[in-house]
Each structure stands twice: as C-alpha cells, then as structure tokens.
Amino acid sequence: MPEDSTETPNIVTCTAPVNIAVIKYWGKRNEDLILPINSSLSVTLHQDQLKTTTTVAISRSFQEDRLWLNGKEEDIRHPRLQSCLREIRRLARKRRSDGDPRSTESVGLSHKVHICSVNNFPTAAGLASSAAGFACLVYTLAQAFGVEGELSGIARQGSGSACRSMYGGFVQWIMGHKEDGKDSVAQQVEPEGHWPELRILVLVACAERKPIGSTSGMQTSVQTSLLLKHRAEAVVPRRMVDMIEAVQRKDFPAFAELTMKDSNQFHATCLDTHPPIFYLNSVSQQIIHLVHRYNKYYGETRVAYSFDAGPNAVIFTLQQFVPEFVQLVRHFFPPDRNGEEYVDR
Amino acid sequence: MPEDSTETPNIVTCTAPVNIAVIKYWGKRNEDLILPINSSLSVTLHQDQLKTTTTVAISRSFQEDRLWLNGKEEDIRHPRLQSCLREIRRLARKRRSDGDPRSTESVGLSHKVHICSVNNFPTAAGLASSAAGFACLVYTLAQAFGVEGELSGIARQGSGSACRSMYGGFVQWIMGHKEDGKDSVAQQVEPEGHWPELRILVLVACAERKPIGSTSGMQTSVQTSLLLKHRAEAVVPRRMVDMIEAVQRKDFPAFAELTMKDSNQFHATCLDTHPPIFYLNSVSQQIIHLVHRYNKYYGETRVAYSFDAGPNAVIFTLQQFVPEFVQLVRHFFPPDRNGEEYVDR
C-alpha cells in the first residue's frame, strides 16, 4: 500500500463463501449485538459456485459512505451495516494508537468508504446471502483499513450466521455467555480438507411465496414458541457435542441423521410459533420423503437434507452417491419444470 | 326386554358423535391399554351431520362374533375390538353374579354378537371416525348386555379418543397415573348447552396423499421426538388448566388462541418426529393464513382452526361470524374445485 496520502483511492477486493448450518441458529437473546440463544454448527461451501465478491474503496475525495448491492445503491445507514463499519474503524484507530507499524497513514480514518458487493447466485433464493455478504464486507473492510485478528465477532453483528462464513471447513458459532457478546464468536472445528468425500448439493425449488424474513421470524419464535426455548436449552447443547464428534470421525450416517433431525426440529419450532411460520412447501416435503425412501431402499443413510428459512433443499452426501442421487432428483423434479439446481463443494 | 330366552335376537341400535380435540392427544405410555402421555380436551359435535350408528344383535343362533363396517365385513379378531367385547362381557358377568335385578337372563353371556356400524360421513377423510365408532360400539354393546356405569375406560381401549365421545359438550380425558389405566377416563367439563353461540365448521380439503395412520405415527413420535416429550410433561398440564378456564368462562379469544397454538404444536411434534410426519398440506397452510389474516383484519380473534392427523380443517367461531367466514372460505376455496364442506353444531 502507498505510504503517502494521495488522491488515488485505496481499493481492496475479497470474496467470501456461503455456509450451511447443520445445527441451526434460530433466536437471539440480544437483538442489537446479535447474540444467539444456542450454539450452531455449519459447513462452509467452496467458492466455485456460490460466493459474494466485495470491493471497498477508501478515498479522501469521497463525500460520504455509500453501498451498492448487486449494482443497486442501498441505504448505508442500516444499523447493522453501521455496526460493522464502526467496529472496523474502532479497531483501526486502536491499532494506530498502539503504534502498530503495519497501520497505514494512507488510510485516513475520517475518509469515507464506497462498498460494492455482488452475489453470483440468486439473492432471493434464501441461500444465506446475508451470511456471505456480511462476512465479505467485514473481511474486505478489515483489509482496506489494515486491521487483523478475530473478526467473526464483528461479522456476527452484521448478520448472526455471517460469523461462521469467516472460516472454511466445519465451523461452530459458540453462543457465549457474556453480556457484551465478546465470547460469542466462530471457531473452526475442522479445516476445509478434512472430509474430501463430503458433497453438498443445493436444490433450488421454485418458492411458492416469499417467506417471512429470518429476523422477524426468529423474534416471533423467541416470544411465542415454548418448544424453541426447550430446544435451545435442553436439546442443542447435546447435539453440538454429537455433531462435532460425527464431523471429527467423518461418520456420515451420524452426521446425516443429526443434520436431518435438526433441520426438522428447527422447522417444528417455526410451526410452534404463533402465528405459525411455514418455510417448507410441498416440493420441500417431496424431497424429504425422497431422501428417506432412498436411504431406506439401501438400508443405510447415504443422503441427508437440510432446509434454512426457505423451501430450498441443501443435500449432503458422499462423492460416490452423487451421480445416482442427482439422476433421481432430475427424474422426480425435471429442471425445466421445477427450477435450477446447483452442485457445489 | 323379554325375560325368557327365545330364538329372537336381542337387537339394540345407538348413535355416537364425533369429537374434536382442542388440546391434542398424541402419544401413548401404554400401547395395549391405550394410556396417553398427556391429558386432552375436546368438543363433542352435535349428531345432526356427523355420527356413527351401530346396531348390535345378540342371539344364541349366531355361530360366531361378526362385524360389518359401512356394509363391509371386517375381521372381528382385531385386538382392540376384542378388548372392548371382553370388557363389556366381563362387566355383564360381574353384574349378573352381583344379582343386579336389571341384568337379563335373556342375554346369554356365551351368545355371539353381530355388529353393524355405519358412518354418515367419509371415513377416509380423517374425521375422527374411530372415536365415534368405538364410542358407539361400546355404548351399544353395553345396552345390549344390560351394562351401565363408567364406560369411557372401555371405549378408550378401542381407540384412545373414543373415550371423549362418550359424553356431550366439553370433555376432558384425564391421562391418569395408574398402571392398570383405571384412572384414565373421560369427564364432562361442561354440558352440551353450555356455550350455545359456539359453532364448528369442518372444511374437508382434498387430501393430496394418504397420511400416516395415527397409531404408528404417534408411536414413532414417542420414540423419536424430544419436543413431544417436553410438550407432554411441561406444556400440556398448564394448557389443560387454561383451556378449562376459557371454556367455563366462554372466553372465545382465549379458547381460540389456545386451540390454534395447540394444533400447531401437535403438528410441530410430528415434524420433529424422525422421519418427519406431515399432515398439513398446502390447502391447510392457506386456511391457517386465512384465519390469521381474518382475525388481524378485525383486530380480534373471531375464528380458530384445528387440524387432526390429516389436512382437513376444523373451524371454531361464534354464530354471528359464521356467514361472513363461510363466504370467505367459499371465495378462496370454491366448492367444486376443492371438495365439499360440512357445517356442524
């Protein structure tokens, strides 16, 4: 980076991946800091198919902070965006005052930023675009401002699950217990290369209707679902232990069964919400039945599904089973009738 | 009844009503005795539209016990049928040995019975036909054998929810705690005339697929759903108290909100079952959304829904709201496209 302050803006571009939770996050204990009511665990996808690309430019000639998402300017004043910007600038200031030699005078802390972010996948399809988006934003801002260190706690304040997209491989978001959220951070359980045979397919079903957004959905669930409270307190702690063990041992049947059970339990708590929230549609139900019939046919668990706050299925399987299962999906859900599908990881 | 034993069979015909649970029964702690994991509460419908009619004939000329359901002969050896027959004969024997003057010598305890049972509504539609059926069977058998007294414990052994169809009005099935099930019986909370303004509509949606039967469904739920266990132990006891209070005070909003929440929680535990069970289809979901939008529009709870182990909606409302709501249903679900509807009570 240049050491003198010039008119040339400081420009940094980074990409960030999508992550798919296998132990689900649903419900906050603190809305402002985005602190969850339970820990969660996810698999970070490769960036070959799904990724967010963000460019941050910092220049003293900029009049104000501005943001473009997929080419369209958005309101930069969104509180969560502001949280991330404020936290990164605070760390940059701290670093400079600590006299860190890597801190660059060229990046004026009073200078404004322009942010451009693009997803290479349909944002509306509910494919954790905000997780990749905020992870990418925080990481790119950090690079631009010369900030290093633990950043998942900042990404968390943009979008909860974004903290898990700060790492590759298998990542847990430890709920933490501190009031200020300092211990609510992501941690890598196993790195990217740990389980090379694992494959993830994303089946994009045509959404019949726009679902309720996760932020307001989980608020209502926390307020009204007695089952969610029980899940967070009594079910998930044990499942986190079991899931980490299944991942470490690369025990696919254990991993798969727990993944399906946790997806269904998350949707069960949505149904126990008042008024109830439905994210699964009839296509989702058909995929669930197909997976169970497939596993039953072979007498072993070869495929698992997981659904986030939308009807699209994420399929987990092992490399050797991909061709047959994809053929089965194409048979029951012809691409021209039911939308596209993505194969990833 | 004739006092001498003749060739003329002793013939008795009775009818029994359907009941709709507003606090749901799902899960047995004893499969043979049909003892539930939680208490439940239902509303018994008038017999104007939905009822079972059963005729029992006893004759010494009959060679064996036989049963016809809706005109078709069924296997009398079904264990639950045998339980009911055995229990009624046991009570009749006891009565005779006690020297009760009302016990009739004409009914030979060794004589065989022929049973004919008819529903005046579609049996396949999942409208609690087994509840009305077994209630009717037990009551009619009791009449034929000259047995009186508490019979809901016998009906329970035919089909759990049948015990609630032994009474009119608002009925609770107390789960009981004894191992032999003697304290697991139905009890009237309020009689039939208690809440004359309450109306119940049954909306028969075209079932997209045959759902999983309740017997095997609840078995799987008890074995696999952690949320069901919590519901039975920690949620339902409080809800029973609240529901009885709402019924006694004729507090429709309280009754309605609790009814909807409990229906959704029951379906949530089905979804938390492994493999998951779906009884609600897209039409059911649309009716749920319609009810919530309707109530929101008026800013008060005027209508509630409840779904048993099938996609058909039971609507609870007050007399004054029936015409408008029926019009709304006819508008969104034209009868010729989505099946028939029944208006009851």
Side-chain angles (χ1 to χ4, degrees), chain A residues 33-63:
Chain A
L33 291 171
I34 310 193
L35 301 177
I37 59 171
N38 59 256
S39 296
S40 54
L41 196 144
S42 61
V43 187
T44 299
L45 302 190
H46 283 172
Q47 299 189 33
D48 313 347
Q49 276 102 2
L50 309 183
K51 66 179 170 197
T52 296
T53 304
T54 301
T55 298
V56 165
I58 307 179
S59 167
R60 70 164 160 189
S61 67
F62 292 162
Q63 301 297 305

PDB file of all heavy atoms in Angstrom, chain A residues 33-63:
ATOM      1  N   LEU A  33     -26.774  -6.781  19.655  1.00  0.00           N
ATOM      2  CA  LEU A  33     -25.452  -7.392  19.498  1.00  0.00           C
ATOM      3  C   LEU A  33     -25.512  -8.689  18.685  1.00  0.00           C
ATOM      4  O   LEU A  33     -24.493  -9.258  18.336  1.00  0.00           O
ATOM      5  CB  LEU A  33     -24.843  -7.686  20.873  1.00  0.00           C
ATOM      6  CG  LEU A  33     -24.432  -6.454  21.699  1.00  0.00           C
ATOM      7  CD1 LEU A  33     -24.056  -6.861  23.123  1.00  0.00           C
ATOM      8  CD2 LEU A  33     -23.252  -5.738  21.024  1.00  0.00           C
ATOM      9  N   ILE A  34     -26.712  -9.139  18.376  1.00  0.00           N
ATOM     10  CA  ILE A  34     -26.941 -10.424  17.692  1.00  0.00           C
ATOM     11  C   ILE A  34     -26.256 -11.557  18.453  1.00  0.00           C
ATOM     12  O   ILE A  34     -25.271 -12.158  18.003  1.00  0.00           O
ATOM     13  CB  ILE A  34     -26.525 -10.386  16.206  1.00  0.00           C
ATOM     14  CG1 ILE A  34     -27.156  -9.153  15.535  1.00  0.00           C
ATOM     15  CG2 ILE A  34     -26.940 -11.665  15.489  1.00  0.00           C
ATOM     16  CD1 ILE A  34     -27.093  -9.154  14.010  1.00  0.00           C
ATOM     17  N   LEU A  35     -26.784 -11.832  19.635  1.00  0.00           N
ATOM     18  CA  LEU A  35     -26.293 -12.944  20.450  1.00  0.00           C
ATOM     19  C   LEU A  35     -27.355 -14.039  20.423  1.00  0.00           C
ATOM     20  O   LEU A  35     -28.526 -13.775  20.693  1.00  0.00           O
ATOM     21  CB  LEU A  35     -26.041 -12.475  21.889  1.00  0.00           C
ATOM     22  CG  LEU A  35     -25.016 -11.330  22.015  1.00  0.00           C
ATOM     23  CD1 LEU A  35     -24.890 -10.889  23.464  1.00  0.00           C
ATOM     24  CD2 LEU A  35     -23.667 -11.773  21.456  1.00  0.00           C
ATOM     25  N   PRO A  36     -26.978 -15.256  20.077  1.00  0.00           N
ATOM     26  CA  PRO A  36     -27.960 -16.324  19.846  1.00  0.00           C
ATOM     27  C   PRO A  36     -28.385 -17.027  21.138  1.00  0.00           C
ATOM     28  O   PRO A  36     -27.680 -16.934  22.154  1.00  0.00           O
ATOM     29  CB  PRO A  36     -27.190 -17.298  18.960  1.00  0.00           C
ATOM     30  CG  PRO A  36     -25.783 -17.179  19.455  1.00  0.00           C
ATOM     31  CD  PRO A  36     -25.589 -15.738  19.866  1.00  0.00           C
ATOM     32  N   ILE A  37     -29.513 -17.723  21.094  1.00  0.00           N
ATOM     33  CA  ILE A  37     -29.964 -18.492  22.263  1.00  0.00           C
ATOM     34  C   ILE A  37     -29.341 -19.883  22.285  1.00  0.00           C
ATOM     35  O   ILE A  37     -29.488 -20.602  23.263  1.00  0.00           O
ATOM     36  CB  ILE A  37     -31.513 -18.609  22.331  1.00  0.00           C
ATOM     37  CG1 ILE A  37     -32.086 -19.289  21.082  1.00  0.00           C
ATOM     38  CG2 ILE A  37     -32.144 -17.234  22.522  1.00  0.00           C
ATOM     39  CD1 ILE A  37     -33.568 -19.623  21.177  1.00  0.00           C
ATOM     40  N   ASN A  38     -28.663 -20.278  21.192  1.00  0.00           N
ATOM     41  CA  ASN A  38     -27.930 -21.552  21.214  1.00  0.00           C
ATOM     42  C   ASN A  38     -26.757 -21.515  20.254  1.00  0.00           C
ATOM     43  O   ASN A  38     -26.717 -20.688  19.332  1.00  0.00           O
ATOM     44  CB  ASN A  38     -28.849 -22.751  20.914  1.00  0.00           C
ATOM     45  CG  ASN A  38     -29.533 -22.684  19.567  1.00  0.00           C
ATOM     46  OD1 ASN A  38     -30.715 -22.380  19.468  1.00  0.00           O
ATOM     47  ND2 ASN A  38     -28.794 -22.959  18.494  1.00  0.00           N
ATOM     48  N   SER A  39     -25.788 -22.377  20.502  1.00  0.00           N
ATOM     49  CA  SER A  39     -24.668 -22.516  19.580  1.00  0.00           C
ATOM     50  C   SER A  39     -25.149 -23.172  18.296  1.00  0.00           C
ATOM     51  O   SER A  39     -26.238 -23.749  18.253  1.00  0.00           O
ATOM     52  CB  SER A  39     -23.571 -23.371  20.225  1.00  0.00           C
ATOM     53  OG  SER A  39     -23.050 -22.722  21.362  1.00  0.00           O
ATOM     54  N   SER A  40     -24.347 -23.081  17.242  1.00  0.00           N
ATOM     55  CA  SER A  40     -24.723 -23.686  15.966  1.00  0.00           C
ATOM     56  C   SER A  40     -23.462 -24.176  15.266  1.00  0.00           C
ATOM     57  O   SER A  40     -22.346 -23.849  15.681  1.00  0.00           O
ATOM     58  CB  SER A  40     -25.480 -22.671  15.097  1.00  0.00           C
ATOM     59  OG  SER A  40     -24.733 -21.481  14.946  1.00  0.00           O
ATOM     60  N   LEU A  41     -23.662 -24.969  14.230  1.00  0.00           N
ATOM     61  CA  LEU A  41     -22.509 -25.528  13.515  1.00  0.00           C
ATOM     62  C   LEU A  41     -22.821 -25.582  12.025  1.00  0.00           C
ATOM     63  O   LEU A  41     -23.937 -25.930  11.645  1.00  0.00           O
ATOM     64  CB  LEU A  41     -22.190 -26.931  14.045  1.00  0.00           C
ATOM     65  CG  LEU A  41     -20.805 -27.488  13.690  1.00  0.00           C
ATOM     66  CD1 LEU A  41     -20.264 -28.319  14.841  1.00  0.00           C
ATOM     67  CD2 LEU A  41     -20.822 -28.302  12.415  1.00  0.00           C
ATOM     68  N   SER A  42     -21.842 -25.216  11.215  1.00  0.00           N
ATOM     69  CA  SER A  42     -22.101 -25.172   9.778  1.00  0.00           C
ATOM     70  C   SER A  42     -20.934 -25.715   8.974  1.00  0.00           C
ATOM     71  O   SER A  42     -19.826 -25.893   9.472  1.00  0.00           O
ATOM     72  CB  SER A  42     -22.405 -23.742   9.345  1.00  0.00           C
ATOM     73  OG  SER A  42     -21.291 -22.913   9.612  1.00  0.00           O
ATOM     74  N   VAL A  43     -21.247 -25.971   7.704  1.00  0.00           N
ATOM     75  CA  VAL A  43     -20.236 -26.369   6.743  1.00  0.00           C
ATOM     76  C   VAL A  43     -20.090 -25.205   5.774  1.00  0.00           C
ATOM     77  O   VAL A  43     -21.082 -24.711   5.234  1.00  0.00           O
ATOM     78  CB  VAL A  43     -20.668 -27.636   5.979  1.00  0.00           C
ATOM     79  CG1 VAL A  43     -19.529 -28.139   5.105  1.00  0.00           C
ATOM     80  CG2 VAL A  43     -21.120 -28.723   6.941  1.00  0.00           C
ATOM     81  N   THR A  44     -18.850 -24.752   5.591  1.00  0.00           N
ATOM     82  CA  THR A  44     -18.603 -23.662   4.651  1.00  0.00           C
ATOM     83  C   THR A  44     -18.418 -24.256   3.258  1.00  0.00           C
ATOM     84  O   THR A  44     -17.672 -25.224   3.076  1.00  0.00           O
ATOM     85  CB  THR A  44     -17.350 -22.880   5.071  1.00  0.00           C
ATOM     86  OG1 THR A  44     -17.585 -22.333   6.369  1.00  0.00           O
ATOM     87  CG2 THR A  44     -17.052 -21.754   4.106  1.00  0.00           C
ATOM     88  N   LEU A  45     -19.102 -23.687   2.276  1.00  0.00           N
ATOM     89  CA  LEU A  45     -19.013 -24.207   0.910  1.00  0.00           C
ATOM     90  C   LEU A  45     -17.774 -23.670   0.209  1.00  0.00           C
ATOM     91  O   LEU A  45     -17.256 -22.612   0.554  1.00  0.00           O
ATOM     92  CB  LEU A  45     -20.258 -23.796   0.114  1.00  0.00           C
ATOM     93  CG  LEU A  45     -21.611 -24.226   0.656  1.00  0.00           C
ATOM     94  CD1 LEU A  45     -22.696 -23.956  -0.378  1.00  0.00           C
ATOM     95  CD2 LEU A  45     -21.617 -25.700   1.032  1.00  0.00           C
ATOM     96  N   HIS A  46     -17.298 -24.427  -0.788  1.00  0.00           N
ATOM     97  CA  HIS A  46     -16.275 -23.874  -1.669  1.00  0.00           C
ATOM     98  C   HIS A  46     -16.846 -22.669  -2.391  1.00  0.00           C
ATOM     99  O   HIS A  46     -18.060 -22.526  -2.516  1.00  0.00           O
ATOM    100  CB  HIS A  46     -15.860 -24.922  -2.703  1.00  0.00           C
ATOM    101  CG  HIS A  46     -14.940 -25.957  -2.140  1.00  0.00           C
ATOM    102  ND1 HIS A  46     -14.577 -27.078  -2.833  1.00  0.00           N
ATOM    103  CD2 HIS A  46     -14.322 -26.033  -0.951  1.00  0.00           C
ATOM    104  CE1 HIS A  46     -13.764 -27.803  -2.086  1.00  0.00           C
ATOM    105  NE2 HIS A  46     -13.599 -27.198  -0.931  1.00  0.00           N
ATOM    106  N   GLN A  47     -15.942 -21.829  -2.909  1.00  0.00           N
ATOM    107  CA  GLN A  47     -16.413 -20.620  -3.579  1.00  0.00           C
ATOM    108  C   GLN A  47     -16.525 -20.802  -5.094  1.00  0.00           C
ATOM    109  O   GLN A  47     -16.706 -19.830  -5.824  1.00  0.00           O
ATOM    110  CB  GLN A  47     -15.477 -19.449  -3.254  1.00  0.00           C
ATOM    111  CG  GLN A  47     -15.434 -19.159  -1.754  1.00  0.00           C
ATOM    112  CD  GLN A  47     -14.695 -17.881  -1.421  1.00  0.00           C
ATOM    113  OE1 GLN A  47     -14.722 -16.927  -2.186  1.00  0.00           O
ATOM    114  NE2 GLN A  47     -14.047 -17.859  -0.271  1.00  0.00           N
ATOM    115  N   ASP A  48     -16.430 -22.053  -5.561  1.00  0.00           N
ATOM    116  CA  ASP A  48     -16.507 -22.285  -7.002  1.00  0.00           C
ATOM    117  C   ASP A  48     -17.846 -21.829  -7.567  1.00  0.00           C
ATOM    118  O   ASP A  48     -17.928 -21.234  -8.632  1.00  0.00           O
ATOM    119  CB  ASP A  48     -16.329 -23.772  -7.331  1.00  0.00           C
ATOM    120  CG  ASP A  48     -15.148 -24.381  -6.604  1.00  0.00           C
ATOM    121  OD1 ASP A  48     -14.335 -23.611  -6.045  1.00  0.00           O
ATOM    122  OD2 ASP A  48     -15.035 -25.620  -6.595  1.00  0.00           O
ATOM    123  N   GLN A  49     -18.926 -22.176  -6.862  1.00  0.00           N
ATOM    124  CA  GLN A  49     -20.244 -21.815  -7.396  1.00  0.00           C
ATOM    125  C   GLN A  49     -20.882 -20.632  -6.671  1.00  0.00           C
ATOM    126  O   GLN A  49     -21.399 -19.731  -7.304  1.00  0.00           O
ATOM    127  CB  GLN A  49     -21.206 -23.020  -7.337  1.00  0.00           C
ATOM    128  CG  GLN A  49     -21.069 -23.944  -8.520  1.00  0.00           C
ATOM    129  CD  GLN A  49     -20.276 -25.183  -8.173  1.00  0.00           C
ATOM    130  OE1 GLN A  49     -19.853 -25.381  -7.029  1.00  0.00           O
ATOM    131  NE2 GLN A  49     -20.044 -26.029  -9.155  1.00  0.00           N
ATOM    132  N   LEU A  50     -20.894 -20.672  -5.347  1.00  0.00           N
ATOM    133  CA  LEU A  50     -21.590 -19.639  -4.594  1.00  0.00           C
ATOM    134  C   LEU A  50     -20.587 -18.779  -3.830  1.00  0.00           C
ATOM    135  O   LEU A  50     -19.849 -19.289  -2.996  1.00  0.00           O
ATOM    136  CB  LEU A  50     -22.569 -20.265  -3.591  1.00  0.00           C
ATOM    137  CG  LEU A  50     -23.549 -21.321  -4.099  1.00  0.00           C
ATOM    138  CD1 LEU A  50     -24.458 -21.760  -2.975  1.00  0.00           C
ATOM    139  CD2 LEU A  50     -24.364 -20.808  -5.262  1.00  0.00           C
ATOM    140  N   LYS A  51     -20.604 -17.486  -4.098  1.00  0.00           N
ATOM    141  CA  LYS A  51     -19.749 -16.597  -3.316  1.00  0.00           C
ATOM    142  C   LYS A  51     -20.242 -15.161  -3.429  1.00  0.00           C
ATOM    143  O   LYS A  51     -20.999 -14.807  -4.334  1.00  0.00           O
ATOM    144  CB  LYS A  51     -18.296 -16.670  -3.796  1.00  0.00           C
ATOM    145  CG  LYS A  51     -18.087 -16.138  -5.196  1.00  0.00           C
ATOM    146  CD  LYS A  51     -16.628 -16.203  -5.603  1.00  0.00           C
ATOM    147  CE  LYS A  51     -16.474 -15.887  -7.092  1.00  0.00           C
ATOM    148  NZ  LYS A  51     -15.187 -16.306  -7.617  1.00  0.00           N
ATOM    149  N   THR A  52     -19.813 -14.359  -2.473  1.00  0.00           N
ATOM    150  CA  THR A  52     -20.019 -12.920  -2.543  1.00  0.00           C
ATOM    151  C   THR A  52     -18.668 -12.284  -2.855  1.00  0.00           C
ATOM    152  O   THR A  52     -17.642 -12.710  -2.323  1.00  0.00           O
ATOM    153  CB  THR A  52     -20.536 -12.387  -1.197  1.00  0.00           C
ATOM    154  OG1 THR A  52     -21.815 -12.951  -0.939  1.00  0.00           O
ATOM    155  CG2 THR A  52     -20.663 -10.869  -1.228  1.00  0.00           C
ATOM    156  N   THR A  53     -18.668 -11.289  -3.736  1.00  0.00           N
ATOM    157  CA  THR A  53     -17.443 -10.524  -4.030  1.00  0.00           C
ATOM    158  C   THR A  53     -17.697  -9.078  -3.607  1.00  0.00           C
ATOM    159  O   THR A  53     -18.702  -8.481  -4.015  1.00  0.00           O
ATOM    160  CB  THR A  53     -17.118 -10.577  -5.537  1.00  0.00           C
ATOM    161  OG1 THR A  53     -17.012 -11.949  -5.933  1.00  0.00           O
ATOM    162  CG2 THR A  53     -15.811  -9.858  -5.846  1.00  0.00           C
ATOM    163  N   THR A  54     -16.803  -8.572  -2.775  1.00  0.00           N
ATOM    164  CA  THR A  54     -16.981  -7.209  -2.288  1.00  0.00           C
ATOM    165  C   THR A  54     -15.729  -6.376  -2.565  1.00  0.00           C
ATOM    166  O   THR A  54     -14.610  -6.846  -2.359  1.00  0.00           O
ATOM    167  CB  THR A  54     -17.266  -7.209  -0.777  1.00  0.00           C
ATOM    168  OG1 THR A  54     -18.453  -7.971  -0.542  1.00  0.00           O
ATOM    169  CG2 THR A  54     -17.468  -5.800  -0.245  1.00  0.00           C
ATOM    170  N   THR A  55     -15.942  -5.171  -3.049  1.00  0.00           N
ATOM    171  CA  THR A  55     -14.845  -4.224  -3.251  1.00  0.00           C
ATOM    172  C   THR A  55     -15.070  -3.029  -2.335  1.00  0.00           C
ATOM    173  O   THR A  55     -16.182  -2.493  -2.269  1.00  0.00           O
ATOM    174  CB  THR A  55     -14.792  -3.757  -4.720  1.00  0.00           C
ATOM    175  OG1 THR A  55     -14.535  -4.898  -5.540  1.00  0.00           O
ATOM    176  CG2 THR A  55     -13.689  -2.726  -4.931  1.00  0.00           C
ATOM    177  N   VAL A  56     -14.019  -2.675  -1.587  1.00  0.00           N
ATOM    178  CA  VAL A  56     -14.091  -1.497  -0.720  1.00  0.00           C
ATOM    179  C   VAL A  56     -13.071  -0.483  -1.230  1.00  0.00           C
ATOM    180  O   VAL A  56     -11.912  -0.837  -1.480  1.00  0.00           O
ATOM    181  CB  VAL A  56     -13.784  -1.870   0.746  1.00  0.00           C
ATOM    182  CG1 VAL A  56     -13.507  -0.614   1.572  1.00  0.00           C
ATOM    183  CG2 VAL A  56     -14.934  -2.661   1.345  1.00  0.00           C
ATOM    184  N   ALA A  57     -13.516   0.720  -1.427  1.00  0.00           N
ATOM    185  CA  ALA A  57     -12.612   1.813  -1.814  1.00  0.00           C
ATOM    186  C   ALA A  57     -12.651   2.878  -0.733  1.00  0.00           C
ATOM    187  O   ALA A  57     -13.727   3.213  -0.225  1.00  0.00           O
ATOM    188  CB  ALA A  57     -13.044   2.394  -3.155  1.00  0.00           C
ATOM    189  N   ILE A  58     -11.468   3.375  -0.355  1.00  0.00           N
ATOM    190  CA  ILE A  58     -11.394   4.429   0.658  1.00  0.00           C
ATOM    191  C   ILE A  58     -10.679   5.618   0.023  1.00  0.00           C
ATOM    192  O   ILE A  58      -9.594   5.457  -0.550  1.00  0.00           O
ATOM    193  CB  ILE A  58     -10.603   3.960   1.892  1.00  0.00           C
ATOM    194  CG1 ILE A  58     -11.169   2.641   2.429  1.00  0.00           C
ATOM    195  CG2 ILE A  58     -10.596   5.031   2.973  1.00  0.00           C
ATOM    196  CD1 ILE A  58     -10.434   2.103   3.638  1.00  0.00           C
ATOM    197  N   SER A  59     -11.287   6.767   0.083  1.00  0.00           N
ATOM    198  CA  SER A  59     -10.661   7.943  -0.532  1.00  0.00           C
ATOM    199  C   SER A  59     -11.072   9.210   0.195  1.00  0.00           C
ATOM    200  O   SER A  59     -12.223   9.343   0.625  1.00  0.00           O
ATOM    201  CB  SER A  59     -11.059   8.033  -2.008  1.00  0.00           C
ATOM    202  OG  SER A  59     -10.712   9.298  -2.538  1.00  0.00           O
ATOM    203  N   ARG A  60     -10.129  10.140   0.288  1.00  0.00           N
ATOM    204  CA  ARG A  60     -10.496  11.390   0.953  1.00  0.00           C
ATOM    205  C   ARG A  60     -11.357  12.263   0.064  1.00  0.00           C
ATOM    206  O   ARG A  60     -11.925  13.247   0.517  1.00  0.00           O
ATOM    207  CB  ARG A  60      -9.261  12.121   1.457  1.00  0.00           C
ATOM    208  CG  ARG A  60      -8.370  12.711   0.380  1.00  0.00           C
ATOM    209  CD  ARG A  60      -7.447  13.725   1.040  1.00  0.00           C
ATOM    210  NE  ARG A  60      -6.263  13.993   0.227  1.00  0.00           N
ATOM    211  CZ  ARG A  60      -5.233  14.696   0.661  1.00  0.00           C
ATOM    212  NH1 ARG A  60      -5.234  15.148   1.897  1.00  0.00           N
ATOM    213  NH2 ARG A  60      -4.206  14.921  -0.119  1.00  0.00           N
ATOM    214  N   SER A  61     -11.460  11.843  -1.201  1.00  0.00           N
ATOM    215  CA  SER A  61     -12.320  12.631  -2.097  1.00  0.00           C
ATOM    216  C   SER A  61     -13.791  12.206  -1.998  1.00  0.00           C
ATOM    217  O   SER A  61     -14.674  12.885  -2.504  1.00  0.00           O
ATOM    218  CB  SER A  61     -11.835  12.497  -3.546  1.00  0.00           C
ATOM    219  OG  SER A  61     -12.047  11.166  -3.987  1.00  0.00           O
ATOM    220  N   PHE A  62     -14.051  11.082  -1.337  1.00  0.00           N
ATOM    221  CA  PHE A  62     -15.456  10.644  -1.173  1.00  0.00           C
ATOM    222  C   PHE A  62     -16.166  11.555  -0.169  1.00  0.00           C
ATOM    223  O   PHE A  62     -15.603  11.905   0.875  1.00  0.00           O
ATOM    224  CB  PHE A  62     -15.528   9.199  -0.687  1.00  0.00           C
ATOM    225  CG  PHE A  62     -15.070   8.171  -1.694  1.00  0.00           C
ATOM    226  CD1 PHE A  62     -14.731   6.886  -1.286  1.00  0.00           C
ATOM    227  CD2 PHE A  62     -14.992   8.471  -3.063  1.00  0.00           C
ATOM    228  CE1 PHE A  62     -14.324   5.929  -2.208  1.00  0.00           C
ATOM    229  CE2 PHE A  62     -14.579   7.516  -3.989  1.00  0.00           C
ATOM    230  CZ  PHE A  62     -14.231   6.238  -3.553  1.00  0.00           C
ATOM    231  N   GLN A  63     -17.376  11.916  -0.491  1.00  0.00           N
ATOM    232  CA  GLN A  63     -18.143  12.812   0.375  1.00  0.00           C
ATOM    233  C   GLN A  63     -18.820  12.066   1.527  1.00  0.00           C
ATOM    234  O   GLN A  63     -19.042  12.624   2.593  1.00  0.00           O
ATOM    235  CB  GLN A  63     -19.233  13.546  -0.437  1.00  0.00           C
ATOM    236  CG  GLN A  63     -18.696  14.379  -1.602  1.00  0.00           C
ATOM    237  CD  GLN A  63     -17.791  15.506  -1.123  1.00  0.00           C
ATOM    238  OE1 GLN A  63     -18.187  16.322  -0.297  1.00  0.00           O
ATOM    239  NE2 GLN A  63     -16.548  15.528  -1.601  1.00  0.00           N
TER     240      GLN A  63
END
